[in-house]
Amino acid sequence: VPRNGYYYIEIGGAAGGSGSNGAKVSGYVELKAKEKLYFYVGKRGTDANTNCRTSGYEFNGGGIALPGKSGICGPTGGGATDVRLVGGSWNNTSSLISRIMVAGAGGGTSDNKTYTVPYGGTLYGVKPRFVTYQANIGVEGTQKTGGTAPTKDSCAQSTGTAGSFGKGGYGGASSATNVVTGGGAGGGSGYYGGSGASGLCNGTWPGGGGSSYISGYAGVNSVKESTTITHTNNTLHYSGKYFVGGKVIAGANSGNGYAKISYV
């Protein structure tokens, strides 16, 4: 930080694979000269069948999609974009706990357009929906928990996994062979990530969107201390830093994440 004063920060979470936008988050924060902030900018999720692997994440927590017997997979979730007080690897727990602003990312999207799109959300990620309840698709991240793992489809090789603090869940694998596309999409990262969807016979199911966070913003649930992930329904981050004029818009950023900071 070059000098004392208020700074405007705006960040955008990355989109999930196949077109689910991330959230846009902004606000003003008072900073002191020589303080350090660390910006982690999320990677856009990849489309179905383009990044099939069995471990890892998209940068900054986007959930991957597991390949099935035929080697195909669903789209991956996007990575969140955030502002931290502690550096290190993106998935370092102490670094994740130090986040004072997070823009949630979109979950991987279904190829079936009857499902709504799992955007990176506000206090909650956006949950994909169908005309009736669907237990096999991803679930959104919240202020206290990642999206819960979905029910395994009867013809899936595996179901999706739950989202967690700063990470989207994995999309499940299809057990079918000789199909063009198939598998559950990965969950979008966020303050808490959305879960991945179950695998299925043919086609893709959507993952859940990640949630956003701003210290001091009404309704957020901040981390109590720097050593453990403990919530006490307090809006203020343990560091004491908070934003004024905070705004969160679900599904407002396409592509990779971004970050801007300017002196006010």
Side-chain angles (χ1 to χ4, degrees), residues 46-232:
T46 56
D47 297 339
N49 305 331
T50 57
N51 190 26
C52 301
R53 52 196 171 112
T54 58
S55 64
Y57 292 88
E58 301 292 11
F59 182 75
N60 221 22
I64 62 170
L66 301 173
K69 290 182 178 179
S70 61
I72 61 173
C73 65
T76 65
T81 296
D82 58 62
V83 184
R84 309 185 190 191
L85 304 179
V86 176
S89 301
W90 73 262
N91 57 353
N92 176 274
T93 300
S94 295
S95 184
L96 286 170
I97 288 173
S98 77
R99 295 177 296 173
I100 57 174
M101 175 182 274
V102 183
T109 307
S110 174
D111 59 356
N112 184 338
K113 301 308 178 184
T114 57
Y115 290 93
T116 59
V117 179
Y119 293 134
T122 55
L123 300 181
Y124 291 77
V126 176
K127 180 180 181 179
R129 298 187 183 278
F130 189 54
V131 289
T132 57
Y133 175 72
Q134 172 61 273
N136 308 114
I137 63 178
V139 178
E140 77 279 12
T142 74
Q143 289 294 300
K144 292 176 64 176
T145 60
T148 54
T151 301
K152 182 181 176 183
D153 182 75
S154 59
C155 68
Q157 181 175 313
S158 62
T159 190
T161 64
S164 59
F165 192 63
K167 300 173 185 176
Y170 286 10
S174 170
S175 62
T177 58
N178 300 318
V179 293
V180 176
T181 181
S189 179
Y191 189 51
Y192 279 89
S195 62
S198 171
L200 69 164
C201 293
N202 192 12
T204 59
W205 276 334
S211 60
S212 297
Y213 168 83
I214 313 176
S215 177
Y217 188 82
V220 302
N221 200 329
S222 297
V223 178
K224 178 184 177 182
E225 55 194 6
S226 63
T227 55
T228 59
I229 305 170
T230 305
H231 299 279
T232 55

